[in-house]
Amino acid sequence: MTEQALNAITDKVFSHRYQPGPLKVIAGTSDAPLRIGDIEIPCYVLEDETRVLSQRGVFEALGVSRGGGSNGGAQTPRFAASKSLQPFVRNDLTAALSSPILFQPPQGGRTAYGYPAEVLVDICKAVLQARDAGALDRQQATLARRADMLIQGFATVGVIALVDEATGYQRIREEHALATILERFIAAELQSWTRTFDYEFYEQIFRLKGWGSPDGVKRPRVIGTYTNDIVYERIAPGVLDELRQVNPTLPQGWRKNRHHQWFTPEFGHPKLKEHLAAVIALMRAAPSWDAFKRSLDRALPKIGNTIPLALYDE
């Protein structure tokens, strides 16, 4: 782990040292532990988004006891303070081990202690460095084997990702990210109408579909479907669904306002104009509607869609 990352953990540890009370758990349950081989460690995500492993679970995973006095868990564990291991335990790690985070388990009951998830990685590295230096005694052989098993488990996927997967916070994090995107794109109140879709947007649709000129012709209702596909489904995740919520279809079959009137003036509307400019550029270069859609799917794919390979064009 880099010095910057260790400093970040230290800052996190000291920020919790004087916390007024136990933090709440926002993701994770006792029956959904972090599993590495046959090792299981209860893990949670706290209200400040700290990923923690239960103190007891960490010690059981390593095959050691906490040791020390009864100072509420706030004491360097005996194994980390041993003469054989102490030279390999950095001050950052000592601070983290002696300052566990107090939190309220989701199932209730007594408050619990936990460590930032990255701490377990640092413990394992310290143990393995001591083993490689021949500093561990015979009684610490189990500790070394456990550390080696855990490090191998962390090798392919980072511990933070493992905790997020075990607790289900990965889904919550994605929901938070989506909410942030929608907040930037969609305004809380309807905005004044301004011309957003240039005439050329419709002119190019008519050309590519072989419909002639849009001058003096009522636009087919299918253009609304095309606009959702070409624009709103591609500009950002969740935008079209949110627009349908704030700007629903009336019983008469149309919407009271234009979708683009719900875009924020400082961010959403400029991004919409940028997207439309890119779409029109692709339209100009395409000889047909099918060729345009293939180019569109490569250049501006819908969120989550596989980008098609450029195998051929008309």
Side-chain angles (χ1 to χ4, degrees), residues 147-165:
D148 195 30
M149 182 185 303
L150 289 167
I151 281 291
Q152 290 183 40
F154 298 142
T156 54
V157 182
V159 65
I160 292 296
L162 288 172
V163 171
D164 284 359
E165 180 181 356

Side-chain angles (χ1 to χ4, degrees), residues 26-151:
I26 62 172
T29 60
S30 59
D31 58 355
L34 171 64
R35 292 184 174 89
I36 301 174
D38 61 353
I39 297 175
E40 296 185 351
I41 311 171
C43 57
Y44 307 95
V45 180
L46 305 184
E47 57 187 291
D48 64 351
E49 297 192 317
T50 300
R51 281 73 161 176
V52 297
L53 306 177
S54 79
Q55 185 187 60
R56 175 177 295 181
V58 167
F59 295 149
E60 290 179 353
L62 293 168
V64 299
S65 60
R66 180 174 67 84
S70 58
N71 189 20
Q75 184 171 343
T76 304
R78 182 180 297 145
F79 80 91
S82 66
K83 291 183 179 179
S84 57
L85 196 56
Q86 187 60 43
F88 303 92
V89 178
R90 291 182 48 152
N91 292 337
D92 315 77
L93 182 54
T94 299
L97 290 171
S98 62
S99 303
I101 299 169
L102 190 66
F103 67 94
Q104 182 63 54
Q107 67 272 18
R110 297 176 59 185
T111 54
Y113 290 97
Y115 293 128
E118 301 93 334
V119 165
L120 180 56
V121 178
D122 291 332
I123 294 173
C124 293
K125 287 182 177 180
V127 170
L128 296 179
Q129 287 173 2
R131 180 201 63 185
D132 293 344
L136 297 182
D137 56 38
R138 184 177 302 174
Q139 287 74 25
Q140 292 173 316
T142 298
L143 174 61
R145 285 197 299 271
R146 289 289 186 122
D148 195 30
M149 182 185 303
L150 289 167
I151 281 291

Side-chain angles (χ1 to χ4, degrees), residues 2-15 92 118:
T2 65
E3 183 175 353
Q4 182 179 5
L6 285 169
N7 289 338
I9 295 174
T10 303
D11 292 341
K12 180 78 77 172
V13 166
F14 281 102
S15 70
D92 315 77
E118 301 93 334

Side-chain angles (χ1 to χ4, degrees), residues 233-292:
E233 289 189 75
R234 299 171 190 266
I235 192 169
V239 164
L240 180 58
D241 289 339
E242 185 71 9
L243 288 171
R244 286 170 170 163
Q245 289 289 326
V246 300
N247 190 35
T249 302
L250 300 175
Q252 297 90 328
W254 61 80
R255 301 180 193 277
K256 184 177 180 180
N257 306 108
R258 302 289 188 181
H259 273 343
H260 64 77
Q261 288 181 258
W262 287 97
F263 278 70
T264 55
E266 70 281 356
F267 184 84
H269 198 265
K271 288 295 183 183
L272 177 57
K273 293 290 284 184
E274 289 178 15
H275 183 89
L276 285 170
V279 166
I280 291 173
L282 293 172
M283 286 176 163
R284 290 172 184 163
S288 68
W289 181 258
D290 289 342
F292 159 66

